[in-house]
Amino acid sequence: NAGVMQNPRHLVRRRGQEARLRCSPMKGHSHVYWYRQLPEEGLKFMVYLQKENIIDESGMPKERFSAEFPKEGPSILRIQQVVRGDSAAYFCASSPNNYEQYFGPGTRLTVT
Amino acid sequence: DQQVKQNSPSLSVQEGRISILNCDYTNSMFDYFLWYKKYPAEGPTFLISISSIKDKNEDGRFTVFLNKSAKHLSLHIVPSQPGDSAVYFCAAMDSGGSNYKLTFGKGTLLTVNP
């Protein structure tokens, strides 16, 4: 059973471009979470999704950020018009039961 | 407002000895707690968890203790091995909420010396 997959692992974007981060949950997991980790910080919750539904996006900035988990395909975290402050590691986690969350390797976004 | 605190940024122990990592929380609604290990440039790896109905959970070399009255939990690793060297994150959840989001501490860097 493959683990949580994230791609790309590294992403470099210039200010003003769009960033798309993809996450494929573990087989059989229907709950997906996105977290962000800034340098020297713990992970911070952004959004919780189930298939075709956003359950909680309270940790996600209101502007420029969006997330989806379509019926088919991976979950996508989209950041429009990136700024330097968006540079961080973005982790996706999936869960079969809402308790143990299993994390992917992360996408390291660098905004130049 | 940091609801989960790991007050020791780093800890160094000798191989074979016990490692004790501590975590405090302030939100009394938290009722499920997890420990994760993280190597550089990798995602967090789930280690062990505990529900608030228990005060201890053991899995091999890892034991988590929960003291609800003190809002404190700890992770014991016995015996410590050099491969245990990593950043350890404590995380907490309010399972009665609708989103099951994890609130993380800032982590403790454990170094196990051979």
Side-chain angles (χ1 to χ4, degrees), chain A residues 31-101:
Chain A
H31 307 271
V32 167
Y33 299 79
W34 285 93
Y35 292 82
R36 176 164 70 172
Q37 185 183 24
L38 296 170
E40 311 299 326
E41 296 284 325
L43 283 72
K44 296 268 196 301
F45 167 79
M46 298 181 74
V47 61
Y48 163 39
L49 310 106
Q50 294 179 16
K51 282 285 186 184
E52 300 185 277
N53 282 308
I54 297 174
I55 308 301
D56 185 334
E57 55 184 348
S58 60
M60 203 152 66
K62 297 270 187 281
E63 296 179 357
R64 302 187 299 108
F65 285 72
S66 62
E68 61 177 10
F69 188 16
K71 188 176 179 183
E72 302 290 338
S75 175
I76 307 280
L77 179 67
R78 185 180 175 212
I79 312 172
Q80 295 179 290
Q81 298 175 324
V82 295
V83 300
R84 287 224 172 96
D86 297 333
S87 295
Y90 291 82
F91 293 98
C92 166
S94 72
S95 175
N97 58 17
N98 282 122
Y99 285 90
E100 286 78 36
Q101 294 180 19

Side-chain angles (χ1 to χ4, degrees), chain A residues 9 35 48 56 98 100-101 104, chain B residues 32 36 41 93 99-100 102:
Chain A
R9 293 291 307 273
Y35 292 82
Y48 163 39
D56 185 334
N98 282 122
E100 286 78 36
Q101 294 180 19
Chain B
Y32 197 77
Y36 286 86
M93 175 196 295
N99 61 21
Y100 299 93
L102 294 176

Side-chain angles (χ1 to χ4, degrees), chain B residues 49-111:
Chain B
S49 60
I50 188 167
S51 164
S52 60
I53 61 172
K54 293 185 173 182
D55 53 18
K56 177 182 174 181
N57 189 24
E58 203 168 344
D59 184 1
R61 296 186 297 115
F62 302 94
T63 303
V64 57
F65 295 92
L66 175 62
N67 182 334
K68 281 180 300 201
S69 60
K71 294 192 177 68
H72 176 84
L73 62 155
S74 60
L75 174 68
H76 293 210
I77 306 174
V78 182
S80 302
Q81 299 172 354
D84 295 330
S85 298
V87 177
Y88 287 77
F89 289 99
C90 168
M93 175 196 295
D94 169 10
S95 68
S98 61
N99 61 21
Y100 299 93
K101 70 180 184 184
L102 294 176
T103 300
F104 282 84
K106 289 190 176 184
T108 296
L109 173 63
L110 173 66
T111 303

Side-chain angles (χ1 to χ4, degrees), chain B residues 6 10 12-13 30 34 38-39 52 59 63 66 69 85 97 113:
Chain B
Q6 293 177 255
S10 63
S12 183
V13 299
F30 288 149
L34 305 89
K38 187 180 180 303
Y39 295 117
S52 60
D59 184 1
T63 303
L66 175 62
S69 60
S85 298
N113 301 303

